[in-house]
Each structure stands twice: as C-alpha cells, then as structure tokens.
Amino acid sequence: MGESEVIHSWSAPRSLSTSLMYSFSQRNDVEVLDEPLYAHFLRVTGVDRPYREEVLSKMEPDGNKVVNDIIFGPGRKKYRFCKHMSKQRLQGLTDDLMKKGKHFILIRNPLDILPSFDKVVPPSFFELGLAELVSIYNELRELGKPPPVIDAAELQQDPETTLRGLCDDLKIPFQPEMLNWEAGPKSVDGVWAPWWYSSVHKSTCFKEAKTYPQPFPFSHYDLLEQSLPLYNMLRRHVRRKSSLLSSPLPPPNLPVPENEKLLAWVGDEIVPRDSAKVSVFDSVVQGGDSVWEGLRVYNGKVFKLEEHLDRLFDSAKALAFENVPTRDEIKEAIFKTLIRNGMFDNSHIRLSLTRGKKVTSGMSPAFNLYGCTLIVLAEWKPPVYDNTRGIVLVAATTRRNSPNNLDSKIHHNNLLNNILAKIEGNNAKADDAIMLDQDGYVSETNATNMFIVKKGRVLTPHADYCLPGITRATVMDLVVKEQLILEERRISLSEVHTADEVWTTGTMGELSPVVKVDGRVIGNGEVGPVTRRLQAAYKKLTEQEFGVPIPTYLKT
C-alpha cells in the first residue's frame, strides 16, 4: 500500500463516463472508483433513487471522509481513477478535492444525452449538472490547473487518438489495453449499475455513433435550450478536435487582435463576440434582406451619425420595413455598445437593421411578424487602406447594378454584386476593383466612391449607379470649400487611366490615394497635392465638432 496519484474525471450523466472508467480499468497501473461521492450526494440532497437505501448502506455517506480516506487514501497502484458526476460536488466538501490530483472534464452534447436520460430519473437542469461542470472548469482554471476537456463524440469517432491525447494531457503513458474490455458487469461497478449500465455492459469498446440519431423528445426542448450553451462553452476548450467537431482550417489571426474579445448588440441585448448570432429565420439569412451603415468614431464622437441614420431610415422605408426601432433607440444601442467596449476613438461600427425574424422560412415580408433586428458591431479598426503610399485598383468585368434592377440609393446588405467584383480584385492582387455601369462608364469601386483630378478639376461620377456615399458628400463639400472646381458627370475608364490624381472615399478608408489602375501609373505614382490637401481638410473635420458625442465620454 502506498500513495496513488488521483485522476478525477468530471462529467454529466450519460456521457460515456462508464465506458471511460472501463477503459482506464484495463490499465495495469490504475485502480478505479465509481462515483465515490454518490452516498454523500444522496444523504445531503435527499433526492430519491430506486437504489437509494442500498447506496447509503454500502457506501460511506460522509463526503469529507470519502475525500480523505478513500479518494486520497492509500492505494495498491500508481494511479487511482475517480469517476465523478459534476452534480455530486456539493458545498461543504474539503478544498483538497479540487486542489489535489489531476482533473479532466468529459462532455457530451445534450442532444445525445436527453433522449435516454429519463429511463431512470426525470431529467432536469440540476440532474444534468452542466452548470456545475462549467463551475468546476472555472475553479480549476483559477487554481492554475485548467483541465483538459474531451468530447464523447471524439471518443466514439477516434478512441485511440482521443485517449492518447488525454494521456498526454494527464502526463501518463498511453496503454493500448485502454481500447477494449470484456462485456458484462464489472467488479468496479457501483450498486446502481443494474439501473444505468445495461447498455454499456453489452459493449467491449468505444463504439462509433450511429450515422443517424434517434428523434429528439421535444418534451425536453426547454431543458435543451438551457443546457446547450453550457455544453458549447466547454466545447470551446476541447484541445484536440477531430474534423467531426471542428473546421479543418486552423484558427485565423485577426487583423486587429484586440477584437478577439468584444461585445456586440444583437436584437435587444449586448452579447460576447462568439454569442453574437441571429436566427436562421432572420431575413438577412433568408435573403440578404437588411440595410446597413458604416460609422467611424473619432475622439469620443460618432462622425456624421445623423446623416448615416437618415440614410438607414430612408433605406428601410424604401424596402417597406415595418416595426422599425426609433432613432433614439438605435442611438442608445450604439452608445451602449461603444461604452461597454470602451471604444471612444479609432473604432468602426457596422450598423445593420434587418427586416427581422420570420415565422416560417420564405421570401415574403408577410412572414416578418417579430419586428426588425438591430445589430451594432463595433470593432477597433484603423482605416483599412494605405492612405500614405496609396492603393492599386483594377477594373472588374462585373457591372454595377442598374436602377432598372436594384437602386443603389438603397444601402442594402445584398452585396453579391460587389463581392463578385471584389473577387476579381483579389485575383488580380489589387486592393479593390472598379465597377462600371451598364454603359461602360465608371460607377464606383466594390466598396468606395471615386474621384479623379484632371488639370486642376475634381471629377466624380453621378450617383445613379453608385451609392451616394456620406464620405463622398463630405469630400464634395470640402472640394468646394477648398475653392477647387468640382464636376459631377460621367467618367470613362480611360479618363481614370490618364488622370493626374485618383482617390476613393468611404467610412472605413476615409480618403485613399490611388497610385495605379489596370497597370497604369496614376500621375507620377505618388500621392498628389490635391489628394493631400483634401486628406488634411478631412482629418481636420474629424477632429472638430462634426460628430455626435458619446454620453459619459470624458476626454483625457
């Protein structure tokens, strides 16, 4: 007899925990304990079980004695594997239970747990124990011992890889014997085995899950809604994921790493980034049926907020949206989102207003009976183009929508036309793509409005096919204030190729100089004097009082 190193397995019921216990029991260096805290749990909670009296008579009911004398008592083998149900960790137990030994968490999708749960016990949020499982994970992390998390689906799909990974995390050698066991009851089974273990007694290994699951019992729908977010929260911490549970692509690097943790407004609440989702019944999912605005924050103010809201409401009205939030409600959502994120400068907002959820999938707005969905996505985001050295454009073959088809004055989310042009730009290794109208004249780029300078005159296309951008209008005003000649007319592509200067305008990019178009160098290939002059004027404008102050912001 000597001291055994304890391995704690924490799980919810019906999570293949018994199969995993059988797996560890095949090792020559492990002894196992099947839910050693069960009697303590029954005594303290008073819950009823068909085998309650038998458990209380055959197992130690004092939890702290169990921890001290059984879980951490002398052992005959190097390791002691303790299978725990998370709900059995009750208040009043000694801190040693969590501080000593090695811990890991086994999770399983409640969709797979609930169909078979109520054969013995009616399922409930308490009985599932997922909240306590999250609590266990967080407590161990705070102790500096973040536990490995494995998913039962991984065990079923690829037992050996999953067990090898778990053994690596626990810093114990893997043994091939863990992959198989004999069928039938085991000497290590708890006294409750006849009620719970009939299925696992028929097994000899981790069996692959059936291709098609059984129907879900919708009497447990509310419980699924409560428990699934907790499962998903733990699932994010699974260290080794197979293609079954994850994308084959590695996690991408964010353009601005600080945006990994942000808060977004969706509907009527502020939620963390990974929880910022809309319904599959939402019109933006069903048909891109939504309107949007891009906003920029400078020095505690939302620049041109009123103008952007004017356009948002105009677009929503043109698309016949109903039950639209009020102007004050949208402003409040914007301000609350910015304040919660602490974003008072160098930030960008993607403001979207969808027609809202539908009562059933389909095209007709008659199905939209819930009201609009408001989304406020604020990010740390500097201007997206190189406004110092300039950018490169190419002309796309994809034409800009005609007012005969879809009026560009509606700032809608149905952006496939622009995306197809952007793909052409990406393929050409350009920053953006110029889109022409149906007659072959320049309209705009896939994302911005355009200006050119020729012999001291500033020209920009009519806003017939292109969006009449708010940054565009601001720059047009600046051109006049700077006492330059402004012309709004049709512009051919060859005029762009031979221009003295070219720049684009947009909320995300501000004024972006263009130094090359379709392989032609613009001017001398550097940022031109008119462009610099207007960039300076625009910067000065953003630094002045041309924005709506964010409440509670204090300039420091």
Side-chain angles (χ1 to χ4, degrees):
M1 298 291 287
E3 185 176 351
S4 296
E5 187 171 13
V6 177
I7 298 171
H8 302 273
S9 167
W10 297 97
S11 66
R14 319 303 286 170
S15 297
L16 304 188
S17 56
T18 304
S19 295
L20 192 58
M21 179 181 73
Y22 290 172
S23 170
F24 271 84
S25 71
Q26 303 310 300
R27 297 176 60 103
N28 56 20
D29 56 358
V30 172
E31 61 184 30
V32 302
L33 295 177
D34 190 5
E35 300 182 40
L37 291 167
Y38 209 154
H40 173 76
F41 169 77
L42 294 176
R43 179 181 66 83
V44 173
T45 63
V47 298
D48 190 27
R49 293 288 188 272
Y51 41 80
R52 173 185 170 86
E53 296 306 320
E54 186 178 3
V55 170
L56 289 173
S57 65
K58 293 183 177 180
M59 295 180 68
E60 172 58 60
D62 185 322
N64 284 326
K65 285 185 178 179
V66 172
V67 173
N68 295 326
D69 301 338
I70 300 175
I71 294 177
F72 294 117
R76 297 180 180 276
K77 295 189 177 181
K78 185 174 183 180
Y79 303 107
R80 175 175 291 138
F81 179 91
C82 294
K83 170 193 157 193
H84 299 296
M85 293 294 105
S86 58
K87 64 191 174 190
Q88 294 172 9
R89 191 191 74 132
L90 303 176
Q91 288 187 348
L93 289 172
T94 172
D95 291 343
D96 284 349
L97 179 63
M98 305 307 294
K99 290 182 176 179
K100 295 173 64 175
K102 297 176 177 179
H103 300 256
F104 74 91
I105 289 176
L106 171 65
I107 60 174
R108 193 181 188 192
N109 194 321
L111 274 169
D112 298 320
I113 293 175
L114 289 170
S116 64
F117 195 104
D118 57 0
K119 293 179 180 179
V120 178
V121 178
S124 67
F125 188 76
F126 167 74
E127 291 289 357
L128 276 180
L130 278 167
E132 185 59 27
L133 209 55
V134 172
S135 177
I136 288 169
Y137 179 87
N138 289 332
E139 185 173 330
L140 289 168
R141 186 174 61 177
E142 289 170 4
L143 289 170
K145 301 166 59 176
V149 180
I150 61 172
D151 195 300
E154 297 271 306
L155 272 173
Q156 291 179 297
Q157 186 192 43
D158 191 349
E160 182 171 349
T161 299
T162 305
L163 290 172
R164 282 184 181 275
L166 177 60
C167 289
D168 286 345
D169 287 333
L170 295 173
K171 294 182 173 54
I172 64 174
F174 169 77
Q175 292 186 5
E177 290 78 11
M178 298 175 72
L179 297 172
N180 302 96
W181 52 86
E182 292 184 1
K186 312 288 187 294
S187 61
V188 298
D189 289 344
V191 298
W192 47 89
W195 284 268
W196 288 109
Y197 294 177
S198 59
S199 177
V200 72
H201 283 164
K202 298 174 184 177
S203 70
T204 59
C205 61
F206 293 103
K207 292 183 178 179
E208 189 171 351
K210 295 179 180 179
T211 303
Y212 300 107
Q214 58 184 303
F216 183 78
F218 278 84
S219 58
H220 301 330
Y221 186 84
D222 291 345
L223 184 54
L224 177 68
E225 277 195 314
Q226 297 169 27
S227 57
L228 198 56
L230 298 171
Y231 163 76
N232 287 330
M233 189 182 305
L234 289 167
R235 183 169 171 257
R236 287 200 292 270
H237 298 291
V238 173
R239 296 184 187 176
R240 295 172 175 83
K241 296 181 182 178
S242 71
S243 58
L244 175 73
L245 299 180
S246 65
S247 165
L249 301 176
N253 295 321
L254 300 181
V256 180
E258 290 80 3
N259 289 325
E260 182 180 1
K261 295 181 179 179
L262 54 77
L263 301 168
W265 182 287
V266 181
D268 59 358
E269 61 179 342
I270 292 178
V271 292
R273 176 180 177 129
D274 286 342
S275 301
K277 299 175 175 65
V278 296
S279 168
V280 294
F281 287 96
D282 198 282
S283 287
V284 72
V285 178
Q286 296 270 324
D289 190 4
S290 175
V291 297
W292 70 283
E293 291 294 321
L295 305 166
R296 185 162 281 287
V297 180
Y298 299 95
N299 197 26
K301 298 183 182 68
V302 183
F303 189 63
K304 298 284 183 177
L305 175 58
E306 300 296 353
E307 291 86 341
H308 280 285
L309 290 180
D310 286 342
R311 189 170 65 185
L312 183 81
F313 284 108
D314 284 348
S315 297
K317 187 173 184 179
L319 291 177
F321 280 15
E322 296 183 358
N323 300 308
V324 177
T326 67
R327 196 180 193 93
D328 285 342
E329 287 171 337
I330 294 178
K331 281 185 178 180
E332 185 175 321
I334 291 170
F335 294 144
K336 284 182 177 179
T337 305
L338 291 172
I339 292 168
R340 287 290 193 187
N341 283 291
M343 293 180 180
F344 302 109
D345 193 25
N346 203 31
S347 305
H348 177 269
I349 301 166
R350 175 85 175 205
L351 177 68
S352 299
L353 184 69
T354 84
R355 197 184 295 271
K357 283 196 305 181
K358 294 177 178 289
V359 293
T360 185
S361 61
M363 184 188 301
S364 176
F367 298 146
N368 291 85
L369 302 178
Y370 293 96
C372 294
T373 301
L374 179 66
I375 302 169
V376 184
L377 175 57
E379 295 180 277
W380 298 107
K381 185 173 288 189
V384 295
Y385 302 112
D386 188 340
N387 292 346
T388 302
R389 293 179 297 178
I391 62 174
V392 174
L393 303 179
V394 294
T397 60
T398 304
R399 297 299 175 99
R400 193 68 175 93
N401 285 324
S402 163
N404 287 325
N405 307 113
L406 186 58
D407 193 345
S408 294
K409 292 180 177 62
I410 302 173
H411 202 200
H412 55 80
N413 282 66
N414 203 317
L415 299 175
L416 283 178
N417 183 247
N418 305 66
I419 291 168
L420 288 170
K422 180 62 175 175
I423 290 171
E424 293 188 59
N426 288 349
N427 290 339
K429 302 292 191 295
D431 295 285
D432 269 333
I434 298 173
M435 301 182 72
L436 308 180
D437 63 26
Q438 65 179 9
D439 294 323
Y441 291 97
V442 171
S443 175
E444 61 180 353
T445 77
N446 54 272
T448 54
N449 294 123
M450 289 190 65
F451 290 80
I452 72 170
V453 178
K454 187 69 173 181
K455 295 183 178 179
R457 305 172 78 88
V458 178
L459 290 75
T460 192
H462 289 294
D464 294 331
Y465 290 77
C466 71
L467 175 77
I470 289 169
T471 307
R472 171 183 179 270
T474 303
V475 171
M476 290 171 73
D477 288 342
L478 290 175
V479 169
V480 174
K481 288 179 181 177
E482 292 293 317
Q483 298 182 341
L484 297 166
I485 299 171
L486 175 68
E487 288 186 36
E488 189 177 10
R489 66 166 175 81
R490 279 182 160 184
I491 298 172
S492 67
L493 188 57
S494 63
E495 288 182 283
V496 176
H497 292 159
T498 59
D500 299 325
E501 299 180 43
V502 179
W503 70 79
T504 66
T505 60
T507 301
M508 284 207 300
E510 300 174 340
L511 272 78
S512 303
V514 178
V515 295
K516 185 181 287 187
V517 177
D518 293 331
R520 282 87 160 176
V521 174
I522 302 301
N524 62 2
E526 297 179 354
V527 182
V530 177
T531 307
R532 287 200 193 94
R533 183 172 165 185
L534 290 168
Q535 281 181 322
Y538 188 87
K539 186 175 186 296
K540 184 177 180 181
L541 200 65
T542 63
E543 293 171 347
Q544 294 173 348
E545 300 301 317
F546 291 92
V548 177
I550 301 168
T552 76
Y553 172 71
L554 297 175
K555 185 175 180 179
T556 58

